[in-house]
Amino acid sequence: MKYMEYDDLYFDILDITAGPNDDPYFSSLPEAAQCLHFVALFDMEIQNGGLQQFFVNCGAAYAVRISQNLRIIGLSEIADLYDDFITRHGIDVSCLIRFSAETEDELIALTTLYPFDEFDDAYIKLWKMRKFNKVMLEYANAHPEAFQ
């Protein structure tokens, strides 16, 4: 199947797996399937609530692999943005316990820890400039093994 629309691709990516936190067979999936999953979920979280939401909802299992997978897909500028942000602010993506929140007040308090809006705004600019959806479609179409 050749993907023409990102929405079709996105829903097929979600059908492949529930991800590393919930799918015991995740590590046995083809690298392309894992890569598409990580990048699609990262983008969805950024688009819906930003980097902070990504850290809260996805955790370290995702955060440690985002940069690598963005680079594999061909989105190295976004990987650089992510790497720069976590390095500049000393965020250990292998341990995101500090981003856990039980209440709405705790979640709101997390927003003051780091300039997440700065990252989110820069992400959206790069997303548009690099034509994120087109890059994802090209990668998926070049790797049909991801969907077998």
Side-chain angles (χ1 to χ4, degrees):
M1 172 178 194
K2 183 172 170 108
Y3 290 96
M4 303 300 286
E5 298 293 328
Y6 182 73
D7 288 348
D8 295 333
L9 171 60
Y10 177 75
F11 289 115
D12 280 356
I13 291 169
L14 293 182
D15 284 343
I16 294 170
T17 180
N21 295 329
D22 300 307
D23 182 351
Y25 304 105
F26 185 80
S27 62
S28 66
L29 292 172
E31 179 186 52
Q34 293 180 43
C35 187
L36 286 163
H37 177 84
F38 280 117
V39 175
L41 267 285
F42 176 71
D43 179 62
M44 184 269 300
E45 293 291 355
I46 302 299
Q47 297 284 346
N48 287 308
L51 184 61
Q52 176 190 350
Q53 179 173 303
F54 168 73
F55 287 154
V56 170
N57 289 347
C58 294
Y62 283 80
V64 298
R65 294 184 60 188
I66 288 305
S67 180
Q68 169 192 358
N69 285 289
L70 284 164
R71 290 181 197 291
I72 290 169
I73 292 241
L75 295 165
S76 60
E77 298 93 339
I78 294 175
D80 290 345
L81 174 70
Y82 179 77
D83 290 343
D84 179 62
F85 187 87
I86 62 175
T87 300
R88 200 165 14 110
H89 298 291
I91 298 170
D92 178 2
V93 293
S94 69
C95 182
L96 295 174
I97 297 297
R98 80 176 308 164
F99 292 98
S100 298
E102 298 292 323
T103 67
E104 185 177 340
D105 288 339
E106 289 175 348
L107 194 58
I108 291 169
L110 289 174
T111 64
T112 63
L113 292 177
Y114 304 99
F116 289 112
D117 288 344
E118 173 189 304
F119 175 89
D120 299 340
D121 291 345
Y123 177 86
I124 296 302
K125 286 179 186 169
L126 284 173
W127 186 91
K128 290 176 183 174
M129 182 184 82
R130 288 290 291 125
K131 297 180 171 65
F132 176 92
N133 290 359
K134 181 178 182 242
V135 173
M136 288 287 282
L137 288 165
E138 288 171 354
Y139 183 84
N141 288 328
H143 295 279
E145 73 277 9
F147 304 96
Q148 297 172 356

